[in-house]
Amino acid sequence: MKIAIAGAGKLGLKIAESLLGGNHSITIIDKDEEVTNKLNSHMDILTVTANVKQISILQELNIHTYDYFLAATDRDEKNIVVASFAKKLGCPKVIARVRDPEHMNQLDFIKETMDIDYIVNPDLAITVEIYKYLVEKYTLGNGIFSSGKASLLEFPVKKMPQLIGATMAEMSEIFPGMLLVAVSRSGKVIIPHGKTSIEKGDGLYIIGERQPIQKLASKVHEKGKYTNLQKVMIIGGGKTGLYLAKKLSDFGISVKIIERNKARCHYLSTHLDDVMILHGDATDINLLEEENLDDMDAVVTATGFDEENLLLALMAKQHNIEDVIAKVSRESYVSLIEKMGIDMALNPLDITAASILRFIQGSKRVLSSQLIQGQAEVMEIIAVKPMPLVGVPLKNLKLPEGVIVAAIHRGIQVIIPDGETKIQEDDKVIILCLLSELTDLEKFLSNHKIGFLGRR
């Protein structure tokens, strides 16, 4: 496919890197010549140094010959306009990133009026994931996700404490015909491998045939587990803080925002009802204690700085706050999160990129793009011969560490694979992948169709 991306920021580059793995033709348009020159020397893409608002640029590109156009510049209005221009000039599918809260109640109108196919909002996407964790504790539906005859079950290890200390090999003996495909541990989702052992406090994700999984679910799943959350402190009053405060407040939760910018505090106070807005520096522990940090049920750190978010999250955890969530955009910090004991850390870039990639790759029915704590995705692909996955024993594929082939539908048969299993043409393959590994996974999924594991 041919994909044009306007804006060489973090999101545009993340999408470009991911799609290059699938042998797509990528063009990036940015007005900064230094940026485009750097991209030319590091990536196999076409770059155009220009202001994409000029219709002549899109015409010279023959934008009508492209399959997708993504507008990901740093300005919402520009993204809306240029996406609309691209559509009017003949590009079949256009996507725009829109972040401003002022637009959130009129997205459908914008899409219809401007003829935009898909709108993404990173701040709103991460808000939804935080809300699901705090309010629903990520216990979605009955905890079972199904596709065909295969089902994925989530449950806390405390429901079967005898599993603590068990290795992957021992788990296979305890649950014959099933596979442990993910573990949620100390705020981080990990893909288990041979040396992985179960620890106290882990959340487990096990896949198998539907009937055995449902039988297991009747023993271990926590039914109707909704939170008794009453008080939440949000540190940082940016877009994520605003969206989350409104969503939690609407649910009836007492919300307190601490924001250091006085003008932003005034903005928040005029846009949020029943939310306490405090002007101050949250790195001042005296301020946090004065504002009853110890009485909070949850703390969310959502400032514009990863280091500050992690420091404040650690501070909150040391005050024995039950749920502590940090917004972290740098993947290099991922290894720190588990050691810090933070309950959850989310990367808005990963979540947004996953959403865009699934749209580009043709999923028509996305029930949930982030099935596991906003950090991992379950997808179902149809195996076709050009794919590197086909005809090779799984142990020889050298899949990224954050990727696992969970199950295979072959005709009416469900196969729980091992290292010797070979994927055949026309198999329906269920894969679980950390969002941070999507770029590497794409190299194995060229010329494929994508679907999603649906919820029963």
Side-chain angles (χ1 to χ4, degrees):
M1 287 189 293
K2 291 179 67 177
I3 298 119
I5 300 171
K10 292 179 182 178
L11 180 60
L13 293 181
K14 177 83 172 181
I15 297 299
E17 290 170 357
S18 299
L19 291 171
L20 278 176
N23 296 321
H24 301 296
S25 175
I26 311 296
T27 300
I28 291 185
I29 311 158
D30 196 281
K31 60 185 179 182
D32 190 327
E33 186 174 3
E34 184 178 345
V35 170
T36 55
N37 287 339
K38 188 175 180 180
L39 290 178
N40 271 330
S41 62
H42 287 84
M43 299 174 70
D44 184 19
I45 60 174
L46 173 67
T47 61
V48 177
T49 305
N51 187 340
V52 74
K53 280 203 301 184
Q54 299 174 8
I55 294 176
S56 59
I57 299 299
L58 296 175
Q59 289 173 328
E60 289 173 15
L61 267 178
N62 293 319
I63 198 67
H64 65 279
T65 66
Y66 283 74
D67 300 289
Y68 289 88
F69 176 84
L70 166 63
T73 73
D74 57 357
R75 292 175 53 203
D76 285 354
E77 287 73 17
K78 185 174 182 178
N79 291 337
I80 292 169
V81 169
V82 298
S84 180
F85 284 173
K87 191 62 177 279
K88 298 297 183 187
L89 291 171
C91 186
K93 298 287 183 181
V94 299
I95 306 164
R97 178 177 65 181
V98 179
R99 304 178 64 188
D100 196 325
E102 308 294 342
H103 291 310
M104 288 307 102
N105 294 325
Q106 54 198 33
L107 288 184
D108 289 340
F109 181 80
I110 291 171
K111 287 171 68 176
E112 182 179 348
T113 305
M114 307 301 284
D115 204 9
I116 297 172
D117 298 285
Y118 195 49
I119 290 178
V120 292
N121 182 334
D123 302 286
L124 190 57
I126 195 174
T127 294
V128 169
E129 298 304 323
I130 296 172
Y131 178 85
K132 286 196 299 189
Y133 180 83
L134 289 177
V135 174
E136 302 170 14
K137 289 295 184 183
Y138 258 93
T139 303
L140 306 178
N142 62 1
I144 301 177
F145 301 89
S146 297
S147 175
K149 293 185 177 181
S151 294
L152 175 69
L153 170 69
E154 55 169 333
F155 69 92
V157 73
K158 67 181 180 181
K159 286 291 186 175
M160 292 187 75
Q162 65 270 30
L163 297 178
I164 296 173
T167 63
M168 282 288 283
E170 291 168 337
M171 289 291 287
S172 297
E173 294 175 3
I174 297 169
F175 299 110
M178 301 183 194
L179 181 65
L180 176 67
V181 294
V183 176
S184 174
R185 177 177 297 162
S186 301
K188 181 181 176 184
V189 174
I190 61 175
I191 304 300
H193 295 284
K195 295 182 180 179
T196 303
S197 59
I198 307 304
E199 298 181 7
K200 183 179 179 181
D202 283 352
L204 308 181
Y205 294 81
I206 293 180
I207 199 165
E209 289 196 54
R210 184 183 295 179
Q211 289 186 346
I213 287 290
Q214 288 178 334
K215 186 176 179 180
L216 176 61
S218 67
K219 299 177 182 178
V220 301
H221 184 62
E222 295 184 306
K223 297 180 181 178
K225 184 185 174 186
Y226 266 73
T227 183
N228 58 357
L229 195 71
Q230 295 180 8
K231 297 179 180 179
V232 176
M233 178 180 286
I234 300 172
I235 300 176
K239 295 181 179 70
T240 300
L242 171 63
Y243 291 136
L244 182 60
K246 186 177 189 318
K247 206 165 176 60
L248 291 173
S249 178
D250 288 346
F251 190 73
I253 294 168
S254 174
V255 181
K256 185 179 290 186
I257 294 179
I258 299 179
E259 167 59 43
R260 61 161 55 103
N261 184 290
K262 192 172 184 178
R264 183 65 182 176
C265 286
H266 177 72
Y267 175 88
L268 292 170
S269 66
T270 60
H271 286 76
L272 291 170
D273 298 322
D274 302 320
V275 174
M276 183 178 291
I277 314 296
L278 298 168
H279 175 228
D281 185 352
T283 59
D284 181 358
I285 186 60
N286 293 324
L287 172 65
L288 296 180
E289 290 175 346
E290 287 174 7
E291 295 303 329
N292 304 312
L293 172 65
D294 293 333
D295 294 337
M296 295 295 149
D297 299 308
V299 171
V300 179
T301 60
T303 74
F305 304 96
D306 287 352
E307 296 84 358
E308 190 170 307
N309 289 339
L310 289 172
L311 175 64
L312 291 167
L314 180 60
M315 189 185 302
K317 207 60 191 172
Q318 289 175 341
H319 280 254
N320 298 314
I321 305 300
E322 182 177 350
D323 291 314
V324 178
I325 300 173
K327 176 183 175 183
V328 182
S329 298
R330 290 190 188 178
E331 292 181 5
S332 57
Y333 289 147
V334 168
S335 60
L336 291 174
I337 294 164
E338 185 177 347
K339 299 174 185 176
M340 295 176 70
I342 298 169
D343 296 288
M344 190 180 189
L346 290 176
N347 186 329
L349 183 63
D350 282 345
I351 293 171
T352 308
S355 174
I356 293 171
L357 287 171
R358 295 289 80 85
F359 178 77
I360 288 177
Q361 291 163 330
S363 175
K364 295 181 180 177
R365 190 182 179 199
V366 182
L367 296 179
S368 179
S369 292
Q370 295 80 36
L371 294 182
I372 299 181
Q373 297 193 7
Q375 299 175 49
E377 182 176 26
V378 180
M379 64 186 78
E380 185 172 25
I381 65 144
I382 299 173
V384 294
K385 274 192 173 178
M387 289 175 54
L389 287 173
V390 176
V392 180
L394 294 182
K395 66 180 183 181
N396 296 337
L397 278 176
K398 296 182 180 179
L399 289 169
E401 284 193 8
V403 175
I404 188 169
V405 176
I408 300 169
H409 278 113
R410 184 172 296 158
I412 61 172
Q413 184 183 13
V414 174
I415 299 170
I416 302 301
D418 57 27
E420 302 295 335
T421 304
K422 293 181 181 180
I423 295 170
Q424 297 179 7
E425 188 176 11
D426 295 327
D427 281 352
K428 293 181 179 178
V429 185
I430 296 170
I431 297 173
L432 192 142
C433 176
L434 297 182
L435 298 188
S436 57
E437 299 277 16
L438 279 175
T439 299
D440 292 329
L441 176 61
E442 292 302 319
K443 300 170 185 175
F444 294 87
L445 302 182
S446 56
N447 299 319
H448 64 287
K449 299 177 182 179
I450 290 273
F452 278 81
L453 194 63
R455 192 194 320 172
R456 291 187 70 251

